[in-house]
Amino acid sequence: MKKIVAALALGAIVAVAGTAAEAKDWKKIRIATEGAYAPWNATDPSGKLVGFEPDLAMELCKKMKAECEIVAQDWDGMIPAIQQGKYDAIMAAMSITDEREKVIAFAGPYGTEPSMFGTMKTSPLAKATFPGERYDLSKDDPKAAIAALADALKGKTVGVQTSTIQANFMEKLLPQVAVRTYDKLDNAGIDMAAGRVDAIFGDRSAVDAILKADAGNGMTLFGPAFARGVLGKGVGVGLRKADGDLKELFNKAIAEANQDGTITKLSTQHFGYDISIK
Amino acid sequence: MNWELMWDSVPTLLRGVPVTLQLVGLALLFGAGVAFAVALLRLYGNRVTERLMAAYVFVFRGTPLLVQIFLIYYGMGQFELVRSSVLWIYLREPFWCAILALTLNTGAYTSEILRGAILSVPQGQIEAARACGMSRTLLFRRIVMPVAIRQMLPAYGNEVILMVKASSLASTITLLEITGIARKIIAQSFAVFEVFIVAGSIYLLLNFVASRLIRYAEWRMTPYLRARG
Amino acid sequence: MLELLSFGPNGWGGQLLGGAAMTVAVSVSAFLLGLVFGSLGASAKLSRSLALTGVAEVYTTVVRGVPELLVIYLLFFGGSGAVMAVGRVFGYEGYIELNAFSIGVLAVGLISGAYSTEVIRGAVQAVPHGQIEAARACGMSRWLILRRILVPQTLRYALPGLGNVWQLTLKDTALISVTALAEIMRVSHVAAGSTRQPFLFYTTAAVLYLLLTTVSTVAFERAERYANRGVRRA
């Protein structure tokens, strides 16, 4: 009897999974973003989601001839919620990494940014010198820079956002450095101003945005910029693995937006420079 | 449901139990001190202390704990005055900020429970003690407090359970107690259900033990009820 | 600094006010849903069926023993699935998507209901048995006894306890900010992060909650006075 019930339950679950993954015509697409990672995405005082990604999403949707809705979702629930079908796509400065590709699919990438550290101008970190300026972890050997960073960060605490490539980077390459993980990078910035953490680590533009907003507090970028390798293959659109057709649509739209200069235009508007991948 | 992942997360999550117990234990200890002082100041103090304490209780019972935690952790750190004070040694640490928030929160609730219990001590017993020639302090120590504590135990037991649950909010200010660790595992495995179900079961177990302990204390303190049965 | 709270284009005033309205909407809906769960739970606990008592016991023990945050997370990530499962029982096969509001109401209502269950159960038991016997002796039917004797009396006994449950419910809604529903806590958290003024926004949030709890305390006091209007005072 129990087995029959179990079989029925299993059947029901499969049936639900089936209906959820049923081919849609993608006339309506729900896209999630965090709304707390300027200039990629932010929330304005009227509660509207703004920034590079909400703008780009609208452009991509025009090209896909779909009606899009941008919804807010906290970063740490971003991937579980897409799997639950709460929305169809993620555009939240999410880098394409091997770990993430195990659970979701990606379209793109549509942009790339190296990661950088930020600290207070009064901190000894701001005066320290590090070998090299920019490391592509997929081909450059970062040993010297990592050793210098490990040395400079000895006894210090670095604030990162939970579940990010930067958190992963700290764990893999600088395991001896104390790390504190935050729900939002903004909060790590607040805590650095308060002196609870000595440095923050995030996408260069996002760290830079925090420094700019806190100009009076005197923060600065320091150390070399890192990209690729454990930091992923650029920022892409996160999708459910079952939605192969949607991935194709997004890939086509991103290619078009890249070609006609839409991404470059929006990037210059929000970042001040071009983050598109040529 | 990924049973293997659930099973694997058990030892990792259990590593958060000591932090949770520390948070709850210290907050209850300090909170009891706060509650005692506040209840006495409200009952036997002058008008000013009475008003002040009433305001404290009003504010901390009338706002969500989450707001209190954020206000203490992120809000206080904003001020140079706080950062240059001696207190910063403690307020710098998320652990002590969580303790402070939980203490002030449970202190407000417990003071009300205690106040009610003290007020419920039968007048006749107090009169009898006075007739025996007890001084005010002796009367308070021997008659009022024992009766009041016995009286408040069931309500206090609920407060203990509420604190165990409330300690989970410390995860919002980077602390790695049970919920914090659960979120960390989810950040890597994306398995919300599995991990939170295990975490929830651990809390359930902790609360079961806590309620048993309180019930045992109640049993110990009411020998006169047992004799009758 | 205070212009950050204004209603202008750079002020978060409008959002905060909207957040307060949302908090009230979620709290009221969750409290009412909680009353439904609570009445069901209390009747189950007072019934003679072992199965019903057991289910109600499990419900109140689990929901009151697990942190609210976990209950909300579990429902947020599994609420739709659960509702669809219920829908299938009634023969609905489609995909049901719950929005953040319904998830919040469902989660907080579930928590609120667990506490209401105990309050209502206690209140039902507080109604003197003699009154029910007297009503029966007068020839009242079961339904009439329920309507005329049991419910009005229960409500009177339950009011103080329900007042506490309401306060709990109101404060628990702060936790549904994790579902990105724009209530007070969510708005202040986003604003605090984006303006780097945590003290200002969390204090504002605290004041808004205090305002809501004060108003509702007064309302419950009035209701209690009204419900007790027929009771002689010593």
Side-chain angles (χ1 to χ4, degrees):
Chain A
M1 182 61 202
K2 264 187 192 155
K3 272 186 192 159
I4 298 173
V5 172
L8 280 176
L10 196 72
I13 290 165
V14 172
V16 171
T19 50
E22 221 174 87
K24 295 183 187 169
D25 55 0
W26 302 119
K27 283 282 155 251
K28 276 197 177 124
I29 305 174
R30 276 154 64 88
I31 303 174
T33 198
E34 189 195 0
Y37 205 71
W40 292 87
N41 53 76
T43 312
D44 78 359
S46 69
K48 201 173 163 243
L49 292 159
V50 295
F52 170 68
E53 279 165 331
D55 283 356
L56 178 61
M58 284 306 157
E59 290 296 331
L60 294 181
C61 290
K62 255 185 237 162
K63 294 188 196 301
M64 294 188 284
K65 297 200 174 51
E67 203 180 300
C68 285
E69 188 193 350
I70 314 266
V71 295
Q73 166 66 44
D74 277 349
W75 175 255
D76 60 355
M78 202 63 90
I79 289 178
I82 195 174
Q83 287 173 320
Q84 292 291 327
K86 294 207 177 286
Y87 38 77
D88 311 302
I90 301 170
M91 287 181 76
M94 189 178 273
S95 298
I96 305 169
T97 65
D98 297 342
E99 286 90 348
R100 287 179 186 142
E101 279 187 310
K102 274 183 206 147
V103 281
I104 56 170
F106 282 97
Y110 52 81
T112 181
E113 264 272 271
S115 298
M116 275 193 91
F117 289 90
T119 189
M120 304 303 289
K121 277 184 186 144
T122 47
S123 161
L125 291 171
K127 280 156 214 112
T129 50
F130 300 93
E133 262 183 16
R134 190 176 172 133
Y135 290 90
D136 180 338
L137 297 176
S138 63
K139 52 178 203 272
D140 305 334
D141 180 13
K143 251 192 211 119
I146 292 294
L149 273 169
D151 203 39
L153 290 169
K154 199 176 274 168
K156 303 227 181 315
T157 311
V158 177
V160 294
Q161 188 175 14
T162 182
S163 193
T164 54
I165 46 171
Q166 288 85 16
N168 201 15
F169 176 99
M170 293 303 293
E171 209 170 280
K172 296 259 166 65
L173 296 175
L174 289 164
Q176 63 276 51
V177 177
V179 168
R180 202 173 279 174
T181 47
Y182 290 84
D183 56 340
K184 298 178 170 63
L185 193 67
D186 280 342
N187 285 334
I190 291 176
D191 252 10
M192 185 163 79
R196 286 202 184 97
V197 294
D198 303 282
I200 56 172
F201 187 39
D203 285 359
R204 181 180 60 191
S205 52
V207 174
D208 204 40
I210 287 175
L211 311 189
K212 289 227 178 75
D214 264 9
N217 279 329
M219 297 176 177
T220 175
L221 291 166
F222 77 96
F226 297 95
R228 301 186 72 84
V230 291
L231 292 171
K233 296 162 251 186
V235 174
V237 182
L239 302 160
R240 274 181 297 269
K241 282 198 164 168
D243 297 335
D245 46 347
L246 187 59
K247 179 176 168 173
E248 252 168 62
L249 281 175
F250 263 109
N251 268 335
K252 211 173 126 243
I254 290 169
E256 270 176 47
N258 229 343
Q259 225 149 44
D260 65 14
T262 309
I263 297 184
T264 304
K265 193 191 93 207
L266 289 175
S267 165
T268 327
Q269 183 191 329
H270 289 282
F271 291 77
Y273 47 84
D274 191 4
I275 61 148
S276 68
I277 301 172
K278 289 277 143 58
Chain B
M1 207 58 88
N2 187 340
W3 300 105
E4 204 182 309
L5 194 123
M6 260 172 123
W7 186 244
D8 288 345
S9 70
V10 174
T12 326
L13 285 168
L14 283 178
R15 249 177 274 153
V17 173
V19 186
T20 295
L21 289 182
Q22 275 170 27
L23 284 169
V24 176
L26 287 174
L28 284 176
L29 188 72
F30 298 150
V34 170
F36 189 69
V38 171
L40 289 193
L41 282 172
R42 280 194 78 173
L43 286 170
Y44 308 113
N46 59 29
R47 225 208 229 136
V48 180
T49 60
E50 207 260 333
R51 285 271 165 83
L52 271 175
M53 293 304 120
Y56 153 71
V57 172
F58 170 70
V59 169
F60 277 85
R61 292 207 325 162
T63 52
L65 177 63
L66 195 62
V67 177
Q68 295 161 18
I69 289 182
F70 282 154
L71 203 49
I72 287 172
Y73 186 75
Y74 288 119
M76 302 266 266
Q78 221 183 316
F79 297 103
E80 190 55 46
L81 195 72
V82 178
R83 289 209 299 272
S84 52
S85 73
V86 211
L87 285 175
W88 189 242
I89 305 169
Y90 292 104
L91 288 180
R92 194 174 185 275
E93 300 301 324
F95 180 78
W96 291 106
C97 285
I99 295 274
L100 181 63
L102 290 171
T103 297
L104 291 175
N105 189 271
T106 183
Y109 282 93
T110 311
S111 79
E112 282 295 276
I113 298 174
L114 185 60
R115 197 172 66 106
I118 290 176
L119 286 173
S120 77
V121 177
Q123 199 59 35
Q125 296 192 8
I126 296 171
E127 270 166 30
R130 245 187 238 143
C132 291
M134 282 193 188
S135 70
R136 251 187 88 158
T137 37
L138 192 67
L139 185 146
F140 189 76
R141 193 158 57 88
R142 285 254 183 93
I143 311 291
V144 176
M145 272 324 273
V147 176
I149 287 179
R150 204 159 57 200
Q151 182 78 30
M152 71 179 272
L153 263 182
Y156 189 65
N158 284 338
E159 178 60 24
V160 171
I161 290 172
L162 285 178
M163 267 299 111
V164 172
K165 294 198 289 172
S167 70
S168 68
L169 294 184
S171 66
T172 56
I173 51 168
T174 76
L175 268 183
L176 289 175
E177 37 65 75
I178 301 172
T179 308
I181 292 180
R183 290 171 121 173
K184 201 172 170 176
I185 302 175
I186 291 167
Q188 282 150 5
S189 65
F190 309 112
V192 183
F193 259 127
E194 286 87 341
V195 178
F196 274 148
I197 284 174
V198 176
S201 313
I202 295 176
Y203 279 106
L204 217 51
L205 201 68
L206 287 181
N207 279 330
F208 178 74
V209 173
S211 66
R212 283 291 126 152
L213 284 177
I214 293 279
R215 208 164 289 170
Y216 176 69
E218 239 175 283
W219 183 77
R220 279 295 300 268
M221 282 179 155
T222 50
Y224 56 96
L225 289 181
R226 256 176 290 152
R228 243 185 271 162
Chain C
M1 197 168 88
L2 281 177
E3 75 187 17
L4 285 174
L5 297 179
S6 73
F7 292 90
N10 292 318
W12 293 76
Q15 271 284 297
L16 283 165
L17 214 61
M22 184 58 94
T23 293
V24 172
V26 176
S27 304
V28 171
S29 321
F31 182 68
L32 292 178
L33 185 66
L35 283 184
V36 174
F37 286 144
S39 311
L40 290 176
S43 0
K45 278 200 175 183
L46 291 169
S47 77
R48 277 181 223 107
S49 149
L50 216 60
L52 279 178
T53 337
V55 169
E57 204 61 57
V58 168
Y59 163 54
T60 52
T61 314
V62 170
V63 172
R64 293 193 306 163
V66 173
E68 292 81 359
L69 198 61
L70 293 194
V71 175
I72 290 166
Y73 267 121
L74 283 172
L75 268 169
F76 181 59
F77 290 109
S80 294
V83 170
M84 277 190 288
V86 174
R88 266 196 314 283
V89 172
F90 294 102
Y92 183 79
E93 282 292 332
Y95 185 80
I96 305 166
E97 172 60 39
L98 287 181
N99 59 15
F101 182 84
S102 354
I103 300 248
V105 170
L106 195 64
V108 180
L110 212 57
I111 298 164
S112 175
Y115 289 93
S116 295
T117 299
E118 298 301 332
V119 172
I120 294 172
R121 186 180 64 136
V124 170
Q125 282 173 330
V127 176
H129 198 68
Q131 295 192 4
I132 295 165
E133 269 168 32
R136 231 180 259 150
C138 290
M140 284 194 186
S141 69
R142 273 187 67 162
W143 171 241
L144 200 62
I145 293 177
L146 188 75
R147 191 161 62 87
R148 287 253 182 98
I149 312 288
L150 216 46
V151 169
Q153 296 268 63
T154 303
L155 210 59
R156 181 165 72 84
Y157 287 118
L159 259 180
L162 289 181
N164 287 337
V165 174
W166 160 255
Q167 302 265 353
L168 262 170
T169 308
L170 180 63
K171 284 179 281 175
D172 277 346
T173 60
L175 299 174
I176 59 166
S177 53
V178 296
T179 66
L181 187 72
E183 44 68 71
I184 298 176
M185 196 63 215
R186 170 79 189 178
V187 174
S188 15
H189 198 52
V190 170
S194 110
T195 61
R196 315 293 191 286
Q197 294 289 350
F199 187 80
L200 178 72
F201 283 103
Y202 293 134
T203 307
T204 311
V207 170
L208 286 173
Y209 280 112
L210 273 183
L211 226 62
L212 293 179
T213 43
T214 312
V215 170
S216 46
T217 307
V218 172
F220 265 95
E221 266 169 17
R222 287 235 174 121
E224 262 173 62
R225 217 177 308 146
Y226 179 76
N228 283 321
R229 69 196 181 284
V231 181
R232 240 186 307 160
R233 297 256 167 75

